[in-house]
Amino acid sequence: MAIDQSAEPDAATPRDGGSVTIVSGATAIAPHRPVRDWFLTGLIDDAASHQGPHARHAEKESSWWRVMCLTGLDYFSTLGYQPAIAALAAGLISPFATIVLVALTLFGALPVYRRVARESFRGSGSIAMLERLLPWWAGKLFVLVLLGFAATDFMITITLSAADAAAHAIENPYAPSWFHGGNMWITLLLIALLGAVFLRGFREAIGVAVILVAAYLALNAVVVVVGIGHVVAHPVVVKDWWSLLFVQNGSPWMVIAISLIVFPKLALGLSGFETGVAVMPQIKGSDTDPADYPKTRIRGAGLLLTTAALIMSVFLIASSFMTTFLIPQKDFQPGGPANGRALAYIAHMYIGNAFGTVYDISTILILWFAGASAMAGLLNLVPRYLPRYGMAPQWARAVRPLVLVFTAIAFIITWVFDASVDAQGGAYATGVLVLITSASFAVAASAWRKRQRAQVIGFGIVTAIFIYTTVLNVFERPDGIRIAALFILGILVISLVSRVGRSFQLRATSVTLDAEAQRFLLDDAATGQLHLIAHEPHVDVNREYSQKDKDERKYSKIPGDARTLFIEVHRSDTSDFEEDLVVHGVKKYGYRILKVTSANVPNTIAAVLLAARDLTGVAPTAYFEWTEGNPVSNMWRYLITGVGEVAPVTREVLREAEPDVRRRPAVHVV
């Protein structure tokens, strides 16, 4: 339950006979600690609706093409290393493998994510679609696994981009001599600077992104045009490549076959789609659009995804052919001058060191800001899921603690991979491919539910292709799955510990009482007492209620003339943790009942008791029966199913939520 510490006990008095929402709880006021308060800024955003550091809420929306530059920080920046990694992975066949990749981009990933944009337009991406398709614990565990791969994707984006930025700085002819051999410390410095920026507060990201992306694409266009011009002026390079291609691989059919096999190694070129749907709340919508289907924003997202994919496809194909024609294969090898920086090599070689230096600076900046985009993705993703599942501490909602955690992890990954771009390529591709595969499965499942046969077949084929691509990439470069497995294991362990540690917290972010529930409580409070009998709604007959009321009055010594209320919790998805509770007042068999649907029983009863106190100013008393069974097994039942030992857990939740004994609702057990 969200805490409004300034609210008076009767601050939630109902108006006009409508429902009232209670967002109050304990009365203790936390001491003012400037450093701690600064560090935990943003913790009050219980809905986790802020889009990373770009804005707590998407208050300043922008045109789709400006937002495209934000996602382009991640997507377009791969041009800094993609052509070199492709040449190293596929050799002379890399242009044909790139064509296969582009075809999969335009006819596979793009249609998938255009549908994701239509069905998950609040920025939650394909993971939210799968969460809706797979409820209960199975869905939560599946989401946790996907978060592990998403963390792999974003974390490797940070470390790989910083490592490639360091490579561009070191290989620049004007770089000081003490830069040489400094890949590690330069990479760590860039990551530390990234963390410092986010600790201070990252604003106006879109304005910076537009300038960087526009400059970077313009410089790349110059490099590509000059390179192609050199190829046209010296057609012998094409003839030599063509001859060597068939000497190494035999027939054209073998070239095609090998291209289909090796193209998964080039999967880095698919990196921008999940980010593209994550930034959707930043796209300017229309006030006339319905809230449940903002068609203007969805149309803008479609234009964003399509335009970005077309731009990237053109650059990928042109740069792949050009660098393969003009750069000797040995220069792509680790330690070679084109390793991790093929287009920069062309810029220096054919345009000059002055232009090449400008290109290097542009590449370093966009790679560094690609890390910022990835950090933003992490800061958007983690608070959106883990705290809501009860699987992360409350401080995980705040930006600054997470920034320190992610920065430390980035340091470790950089050290493990020795700041090598090539070594991290497999891990990056694995994270990207798993997310795209899961998105393909999500849209195929959505089409199946809606009985759209043609779409099911189409998206099913795309899903199968991405499964093949992912599996092949994992076998070729297992580093990615190892890193992802570590993230998944870490998330699962932290989730389990956190869920247990937060078991006795109030889980309701708000409690809404309808008009009838208010009337029941206010009528009883007028007598100076509130007697609530906890009832398990498994038998719905008159005798069940009459016997329960009779037993509680007898054994709990409730006065015969006292008014009583039943409180019933009807269980929903027991894997949920935080909820907005709605309490309905109903009459049944002559008895008055407060009925609420929730994932767990004791925490919900505690939240309703506190809401009743805040509404009426009277601390209620709740009456329970002891639960039969072994206490240990009952505790496990509570952790998994939300039931177990209801009475003692309710009392413990109340004790932690309300330290003032005089204002704490009482629990009576017989």
Side-chain angles (χ1 to χ4, degrees), residues 68-141:
M68 182 187 72
C69 294
L70 187 63
T71 183
L73 291 173
D74 177 15
Y75 196 20
F76 299 142
S77 68
T78 58
L79 289 170
Y81 46 80
Q82 166 78 6
I85 289 180
L88 186 64
L92 297 176
I93 294 179
S94 66
F96 296 107
T98 301
I99 291 174
V100 176
L101 179 71
V102 167
L104 186 58
T105 298
L106 298 178
F107 302 108
L110 180 58
V112 164
Y113 277 94
R114 285 177 64 94
R115 178 150 183 158
V116 171
R118 292 196 298 271
E119 299 194 17
S120 184
F121 48 79
R122 293 186 174 87
S124 303
S126 59
I127 295 178
M129 291 181 63
L130 289 166
E131 183 186 30
R132 293 193 297 267
L133 290 168
L134 302 170
W136 301 86
W137 281 107
K140 298 294 188 296
L141 292 175

Side-chain angles (χ1 to χ4, degrees), residues 183-208:
N183 299 67
M184 178 65 74
W185 71 263
I186 295 175
T187 302
L188 293 177
L189 176 63
L190 290 172
I191 293 172
L193 288 174
L194 181 67
V197 167
F198 277 85
L199 285 176
R200 186 180 182 277
F202 193 62
R203 293 179 174 87
E204 299 302 329
I206 291 181
V208 176

Side-chain angles (χ1 to χ4, degrees), residues 365-390:
L365 287 174
I366 197 170
L367 285 168
W368 189 74
F369 266 83
S373 179
M375 181 73 81
L378 285 167
L379 295 174
N380 177 51
L381 204 60
V382 171
R384 189 181 293 275
Y385 291 101
L386 293 184
R388 179 163 58 87
Y389 290 176

